């Protein structure tokens, strides 16, 4: 454990989460955006061993191939209720594997839609029970490139049924549930398809997100964080920067007499996120 101790932003889900730190993924982008951001002084802030826990750490709890049925089996292990520190924000994604067509053997990741809804409800209720200040965002099921999926089908796997229509059904169910439970939700199925070249630009293999697809996810998450009436705000621009004070050890300016404080510099980013 290294300091300063920080509140946690946890990404929980299937391969869309596990791969979110690979190849310009959305988890890596969020980690960069929040690298030096603190929570402002507020009762929301955590205390542990008399130390103030301030800055946001973005961590992944992603599991390739998982569905919501498997997720609820480990909720108490991933998010124990007696943990000394609870997450400030949890971003949840399950649905892509659940929405796959059932296999004749009865094996495989398919989860019937009514059960998927119930499982996601159980996840939401468990997370809400962790603390009074926890914030939750669900990601709806994104679309898929069916033609690309057929091209990249593995000879080691039985035929997989993934269709955009099935994804839409599970996405709509997730959104409806979130509205019922007053949970923030990102409609990825719609957001990704707003881009004209989404079929080829947003996926690596027809289902997993490319860097371009991840940019859309980040944009939509930041939009939710900016618009949410949460106190304190978890939007990165509303959070002060850690160790932001001027220092004589900062880079020397061209006048040779003053220094330039780099703590707020973001020019290294390909996109200047709002």
């Amino acid at each position: 454990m290294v300091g300063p101790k920080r509140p946690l932003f946890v990404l929980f889900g299937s391969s869309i989460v596990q791969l979110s730190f690979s190849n310009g993924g959305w988890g890596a982008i969020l980690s960069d955006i929040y690298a030096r951001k603190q929570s402002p002084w507020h009762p929301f802030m955590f205390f542990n061993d008399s130390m103030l826990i301030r800055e946001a750490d973005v961590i992944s709890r992603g599991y390739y191939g998982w569905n919501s049925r498997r997720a609820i089996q480990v909720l108490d292990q991933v998010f124990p209720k007696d943990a000394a520190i609870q997450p400030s924000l949890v971003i949840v994604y399950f649905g892509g594997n659940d929405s796959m067509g059932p296999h004749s053997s009865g094996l495989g990741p398919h989860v019937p839609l009514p059960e998927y809804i119930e499982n996601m409800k159980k996840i939401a209720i468990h997370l809400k029970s962790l603390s009074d200040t926890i914030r939750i965002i669900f990601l709806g099921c994104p679309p898929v490139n069916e033609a690309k999926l057929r091209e990249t089908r593995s000879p080691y796997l039985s035929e997989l049924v993934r269709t955009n229509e099935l994804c839409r059904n599970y996405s709509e169910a997730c959104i409806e549930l979130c509205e019922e439970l007053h949970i923030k939700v990102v409609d990825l199925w719609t957001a990704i398809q707003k881009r004209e070249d989404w079929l080829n630009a947003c996926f690596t293999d027809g289902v997993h997100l490319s860097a371009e697809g991840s940019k859309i996810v980040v944009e939509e998450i930041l939009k939710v964080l900016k618009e949410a009436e949460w106190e304190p705000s978890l939007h990165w621009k509303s959070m002060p920067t850690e160790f932001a004070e001027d220092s004589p050890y900062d880079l020397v300016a061209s006048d040779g007499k003053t220094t330039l404080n780099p703590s707020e510099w973001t020019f290294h980013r390909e996109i200047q996120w709002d």
Side-chain angles (χ1 to χ4, degrees):
M1 185 71 178
V2 297
K5 295 181 180 180
R6 305 169 177 177
L8 302 179
F9 287 10
V10 182
L11 317 180
F12 179 50
S14 56
S15 55
I16 295 294
V17 172
Q18 181 175 332
L19 302 180
S20 68
F21 280 79
S22 301
N23 304 315
W26 59 277
I29 297 173
L30 287 175
S31 187
D32 173 54
I33 291 172
Y34 281 90
R36 291 181 64 174
K37 291 300 176 180
Q38 304 173 344
S39 295
W41 179 267
H42 192 276
F44 160 81
M45 298 173 69
F46 299 96
F47 288 85
N48 184 40
D49 297 332
S50 299
M51 292 186 66
L52 187 61
I53 301 173
R54 295 151 64 105
E55 185 179 341
D57 271 336
V58 181
I59 65 172
S60 171
R61 290 297 181 267
Y63 304 94
Y64 212 119
W66 277 33
N67 58 16
S68 64
R69 184 182 291 166
R70 197 162 184 190
I72 63 172
Q73 295 174 350
V74 301
L75 274 177
D76 288 317
Q77 294 171 258
V78 179
F79 300 101
K81 291 187 177 183
D82 59 353
I85 300 173
Q86 295 293 355
S88 305
L89 172 69
V90 181
I91 300 177
V92 180
Y93 168 72
F94 290 100
N97 296 319
D98 299 69
S99 68
M100 293 170 59
H103 192 269
S104 58
S105 66
L107 302 172
H110 170 73
V111 174
L113 187 58
E115 183 188 343
Y116 166 73
I117 296 169
E118 188 60 29
N119 290 343
M120 297 300 282
K121 186 174 183 178
K122 289 177 181 177
I123 292 173
I125 292 172
H126 180 85
L127 292 176
K128 284 185 172 185
S129 73
L130 297 180
S131 77
D132 293 334
T133 54
I134 193 169
R135 310 304 185 191
I136 305 167
I137 300 174
F138 275 16
L139 304 181
C141 190
V144 294
N145 182 336
E146 296 179 29
K148 186 71 172 179
L149 281 171
R150 288 191 291 269
E151 293 174 10
T152 57
R153 179 174 174 268
S154 170
Y156 300 102
L157 295 175
S158 182
E159 184 175 0
L160 305 175
V161 178
R162 288 186 186 266
T163 70
N164 218 14
E165 182 64 16
L166 286 172
C167 291
R168 181 184 68 82
N169 292 340
Y170 281 68
S171 171
E172 291 180 350
C174 180
I175 293 168
E176 184 176 340
L177 175 66
C178 288
E179 291 173 349
E180 174 189 330
L181 299 179
H182 304 290
I183 289 176
K184 303 296 184 184
V185 62
V186 172
D187 181 0
L188 289 181
W189 194 85
T190 299
I192 288 176
Q193 292 183 87
K194 287 180 180 178
R195 178 165 171 162
E196 290 186 4
D197 61 348
W198 70 272
L199 281 167
N200 296 313
C202 293
F203 305 103
T204 58
D205 55 5
V207 61
H208 296 108
L209 297 171
S210 66
E212 293 302 308
S214 281
K215 291 173 186 175
I216 296 174
V217 178
V218 172
E219 182 179 7
E220 294 299 316
I221 290 173
L222 290 179
K223 189 184 302 181
V224 170
L225 291 171
K226 186 175 183 178
E227 295 175 356
E229 296 180 355
W230 291 337
E231 290 294 339
S233 171
L234 295 181
H235 186 256
W236 71 282
K237 286 187 176 180
S238 299
M239 301 167 73
T241 300
E242 184 178 56
F243 300 134
E245 63 274 7
D246 292 338
S247 168
Y249 311 122
D250 287 337
L251 299 171
V252 180
S254 58
D255 62 11
K257 300 177 182 179
T258 57
T259 57
L260 296 175
N261 186 334
S263 61
E264 302 284 356
W265 288 357
T266 62
F267 60 81
H268 66 282
R269 294 176 185 157
E270 179 186 357
I271 297 175
Q272 294 301 306
W273 299 100
D274 187 21

